[in-house]
Amino acid sequence: QGLKPIVSTESPALIFGTTTKLASDLPATDSFLGKNKVPDLQKLFQKADGLPVHLKRGVPDKLLYRTTMALTIGGTIYCLVALYMASQPRNQ
Amino acid sequence: MAHQAHSYHMVDPSPWPIFGAAAALLTTSGLIMWFHHNSSQLLALGLLSMLLVMLQWWRDIVRESTFQGHHTPTVQKGLRYGMILFITSEAFFFLGFFWAFFHSSLAPTPELGGQWPPTGIKPLNPLEVPLLNTAILLASGVTVTWAHHSITEGNRKQAIHALTLTILLGFYFTALQAMEYYEAPFSIADGVYGSTFFVATGFHGLHVIIGSSFLSICLLRLIKFHFTSNHHFGFEAAAWYWHFVDIIWLFLYMTIYWWGA
């Protein structure tokens, strides 16, 4: 719409103010088991692109969603057929 | 676009609830097909779709909280109530199995030889592996509390060590219990003793595995800097669940293993 995004794309202020001591604040352990990617991910997931949270990451989310849908909907149809067949009387 | 004038979280439309319900349908009817018609495809499909739904639903909750900031103190309060109520419901679940145990063991019938343990049953020695398992779970309760304190103090390295230790103790318990199951001189088919023993300890073991999985996810999130020193409810929920699992074991040990031997 040409409007500025409602949500700021800068790293948002800490929700709980300045008294929070972030785990990443400790310099000595900064590189222990990887660096902090949370601010980048916060920017990504707060992009004003109108996508719902379960599809926010794009292609990998869509693939997983479609796979789950195929399995559950396909499975439900298979289930109804199997239950229908199981409910048929067996001839002696 | 209007901003919300309240501190609650109105979630984005999500497919996981209905897919989860479908997964439950597939799992339950899959059990029927497995029990009565010697076919396990539907059950496998059900369990797989259940796993996919759980992964994506909980992944979305992490996105909504850690990455989108929707978990205000009000929302967190609701989640706390929710977890407490869930754990309470689980307590009632186990209460049923303890009831069944006492029903049969307080007044053993003539068919059992009028005694408990019933005639012919050689119970496990409570002072051997079961006692070690008790020590393991109690120690894991200490280490998970240590991890919590490390998180609130902002000590990342120590928190990771303590939580890892907790998870390893959980795996150790599971491994020992699996070995006990294999080596036990009685089985689930050995009358009401076998039934009460294996159903009660079996469901407990399942809960240990669930708790260990929950803690493992928390460890992953801890390493990825998701938790802050005063906002880490996911970890607290896992720790509550773990303490609950520990307490259930203590009751199992005192009643079924010790009094019941």
Side-chain angles (χ1 to χ4, degrees):
Chain A
Q1 285 179 319
L3 293 170
K4 260 212 304 238
I6 300 293
V7 176
S8 162
T9 48
E10 282 155 27
S11 290
L14 295 172
I15 297 164
F16 291 95
T18 52
T19 52
T20 301
K21 194 153 57 138
L22 263 184
S24 56
D25 280 348
L26 298 166
T29 55
D30 228 359
S31 57
F32 181 65
L33 285 178
K35 67 182 202 347
N36 190 354
K37 298 204 191 88
V38 171
D40 300 324
L41 288 164
Q42 286 172 332
K43 211 163 26 173
L44 199 170
F45 283 101
Q46 291 180 44
K47 261 198 304 215
D49 52 15
L51 284 174
V53 72
H54 68 280
L55 296 169
K56 199 80 170 170
R57 221 170 184 169
V59 175
D61 287 357
K62 229 179 353 178
L63 283 174
L64 213 51
Y65 166 67
R66 288 180 180 181
T67 307
T68 311
M69 182 158 70
L71 287 173
T72 46
I73 294 182
T76 303
I77 296 168
Y78 176 41
C79 169
L80 294 172
V81 168
L83 287 174
Y84 173 77
M85 282 173 17
S87 64
Q88 299 301 310
R90 292 225 167 277
N91 294 320
Q92 275 321 99
Chain B
M1 233 181 4
H3 289 100
Q4 63 184 51
H6 60 81
S7 55
Y8 294 95
H9 181 201
M10 302 301 287
V11 297
D12 291 338
S14 167
W16 311 130
I18 197 160
F19 285 171
L25 169 67
L26 299 186
T27 307
T28 47
S29 43
L31 279 171
I32 294 171
M33 296 307 285
W34 186 48
F35 289 159
H36 298 285
H37 299 279
N38 197 31
S39 160
S40 49
Q41 289 110 314
L42 204 50
L43 181 58
L45 204 54
L47 291 173
L48 177 61
S49 46
M50 207 164 83
L51 189 69
L52 284 169
V53 168
M54 287 194 291
L55 283 173
Q56 292 172 92
W57 196 336
W58 285 326
R59 172 207 70 188
D60 287 352
I61 294 173
V62 171
R63 288 179 175 181
E64 288 160 1
S65 56
T66 307
F67 304 142
Q68 294 183 333
H70 285 294
H71 284 199
T72 61
T74 310
V75 170
Q76 213 193 106
K77 194 156 172 245
L79 292 171
R80 283 175 191 275
Y81 276 130
M83 194 66 195
I84 300 275
L85 288 171
F86 173 64
I87 291 176
T88 307
S89 77
E90 294 252 75
F92 280 107
F93 178 72
F94 278 98
L95 191 70
F97 295 120
F98 279 106
W99 184 342
F101 169 73
F102 282 116
H103 176 93
S104 298
S105 60
L106 282 169
T109 62
E111 290 88 346
L112 302 174
Q115 61 179 42
W116 192 275
T119 317
I121 294 285
K122 198 169 157 285
L124 300 171
N125 186 346
L127 300 175
E128 291 179 4
V129 174
L131 184 60
L132 174 60
N133 272 342
T134 305
I136 289 168
L137 284 185
L138 286 173
S140 70
V142 170
T143 53
V144 80
T145 307
W146 176 24
H148 191 192
H149 284 256
S150 305
I151 290 173
T152 50
E153 287 157 21
N155 193 335
R156 173 179 151 81
K157 203 165 172 181
Q158 208 174 77
I160 291 172
H161 286 162
L163 186 50
T164 305
L165 202 47
T166 309
I167 295 166
L168 288 175
L169 286 168
F171 286 166
Y172 190 24
F173 176 95
T174 303
L176 283 171
Q177 196 67 327
M179 187 211 71
E180 282 281 272
Y181 268 33
Y182 186 72
E183 301 283 344
F186 54 86
S187 80
I188 197 172
D190 284 322
V192 75
Y193 184 89
S195 299
T196 50
F197 180 88
F198 283 107
V199 170
T201 60
F203 271 119
H204 174 260
L206 178 66
H207 284 68
V208 170
I209 291 167
I210 292 169
S212 303
S213 307
F214 195 173
L215 288 168
S216 300
I217 300 290
C218 285
L219 179 61
L220 203 63
R221 295 187 65 201
L222 177 61
I223 291 170
K224 288 175 178 290
F225 298 90
H226 287 198
F227 300 135
T228 69
S229 58
N230 57 11
H231 190 173
H232 43 264
F233 176 66
F235 173 83
E236 287 181 73
W240 290 350
Y241 196 80
W242 192 251
H243 286 307
F244 162 73
V245 158
D246 187 7
I247 290 167
I248 293 293
W249 171 260
L250 294 176
F251 278 110
L252 280 174
Y253 182 70
M254 288 189 297
T255 56
I256 296 182
Y257 281 92
W258 200 349
W259 177 85

